[in-house]
Amino acid sequence: MATTIACGIARSDPLEKGHSIHPTIKDSIATMRIAIASDHAALELKASLADWLRVIGHEVDDLGPHDDSRVDYPDYGYKLAQAVGSGSAERGVALCGSGIGISIAVNRHSSCRCARVDDPLSASLAREHNDANVIALGARLIGIDMAKACVTAFLDTDFSGGRHGPHAEKLTHPIFSKEPA
């Protein structure tokens, strides 16, 4: 897990204080290209997370929306899924009011495994056991500190493979004609 300095939970958030993260901390964080998208209900949380991810050293592709006009979450879920599915982003963060609708939209792409989470343990297990490459968060259900904790757990956890490998493969390439084993 990242230090509390990196995830901004136990200490004050450097972004809110106008400071940058100390270079040695920033250098120790693995830089990733992360796509982030939301609907209008999660616009503020998306902007805060995108700024924070940049501060801690990640490359962020903010896929929108960029104003508070009403939008349809499936459109932004599909954009995010395309970015992750094509490989232009390593991971994705999807946000809407509940996190449910946008997670369904992202999961329509065969290369995406999106888990709707609301705590760091769920975010970590989504990576460790299911090789999730996108998480979805509900802006009406969690605050910025919990969202940062979830994203940190998601980004810092590796897929364990092993006995979970075949399960993750079935999520990517479902076989509907076989009887369950």
Side-chain angles (χ1 to χ4, degrees):
M1 299 295 272
T3 65
T4 55
I5 296 170
C7 66
I9 294 169
R11 299 188 121 182
S12 62
D13 186 342
L15 192 60
E16 291 173 13
K17 299 290 185 190
H19 301 109
S20 62
I21 289 188
H22 189 277
T24 57
I25 293 169
K26 192 172 182 177
D27 292 343
S28 70
I29 299 169
T31 300
M32 289 185 204
R33 181 153 176 87
I34 301 164
I36 190 167
S38 72
D39 68 357
H40 55 278
L43 186 66
E44 186 177 318
L45 181 59
K46 178 185 64 80
S48 295
L49 287 174
D51 289 344
W52 168 72
L53 286 164
R54 287 183 187 102
V55 166
I56 63 170
H58 295 291
E59 194 175 332
V60 177
D61 188 6
D62 183 343
L63 302 174
H66 301 290
D67 64 42
D68 62 358
S69 301
R70 290 187 64 82
V71 297
D72 293 330
Y73 59 80
D75 298 335
Y76 289 91
Y78 299 151
K79 278 177 82 168
L80 186 130
Q82 182 60 35
V84 173
S86 72
S88 68
E90 296 169 71
R91 302 266 177 86
V93 178
L95 306 123
C96 69
S98 67
I100 297 168
I102 202 162
S103 69
I104 293 169
V106 171
N107 279 321
R108 301 291 295 166
H109 194 293
S110 63
S111 295
C112 291
R113 290 167 307 283
C114 179
R116 188 229 167 258
V117 303
D118 53 16
D119 63 83
L121 179 59
S122 296
S124 179
L125 290 173
R127 281 288 307 139
E128 184 180 351
H129 292 181
N130 305 112
D131 198 18
N133 50 12
V134 179
I135 59 168
L137 303 166
R140 293 182 178 137
L141 305 176
I142 64 172
I144 185 64
D145 287 340
M146 183 57 74
K148 288 178 183 179
C150 291
V151 171
T152 298
F154 174 66
L155 297 178
D156 288 353
T157 303
D158 293 323
F159 177 52
S160 65
R163 68 184 178 95
H164 301 291
H167 304 151
E169 181 63 21
K170 284 183 179 181
L171 292 173
T172 302
H173 303 287
I175 301 170
F176 295 105
S177 61
K178 283 190 174 182
E179 289 293 317

